[in-house]
Every structure is written in C-alpha cells, then in structure tokens.
Amino acid sequence: MIDARPGDLAGELRHDHPISFAHGARRFGPRTVRVDHLDLTRKLITGDVSCT
C-alpha cells in the first residue's frame, strides 16, 4: 500500500490517517492509498532490489 494523490482514479479513500493520539480522543482523517500486490522474489528477500 502506498499513499496516492487525492482524486487518483486508481486510489482508495480510507479514514485511517492519524490526527491525534490523545488518550480517549484519538482522531483519524482521510487519505488516499493505492493497493497492489507484489510477487515476493528471492531478490526482494535478500535486499538486492528495491520494492518501490
């Protein structure tokens, strides 16, 4: 999952961006994310290639 620009047609709006961690008063705001799947390969496991 990566952050995306608001209005990104491939993005998904989620209300899970933390605004406040105050005890008993946690608040969350909207953010747009893109969700995709990446096949896990040996190079990714050993760090020989970047995931980005």
Side-chain angles (χ1 to χ4, degrees):
M1 178 176 357
I2 59 170
D3 288 325
R5 295 181 191 272
D8 184 341
L9 296 178
E12 177 182 325
L13 182 64
R14 295 189 177 188
H15 294 275
D16 62 355
H17 181 78
I19 295 173
S20 170
F21 291 105
H23 182 70
R26 289 185 180 169
R27 294 185 317 150
F28 298 89
R31 70 178 177 141
T32 304
V33 297
R34 292 182 77 176
V35 179
D36 202 354
H37 297 277
L38 180 66
D39 290 332
L40 189 58
T41 65
R42 173 81 45 210
K43 286 183 179 181
L44 289 174
I45 294 169
T46 60
D48 293 339
V49 67
S50 173
C51 296
T52 58

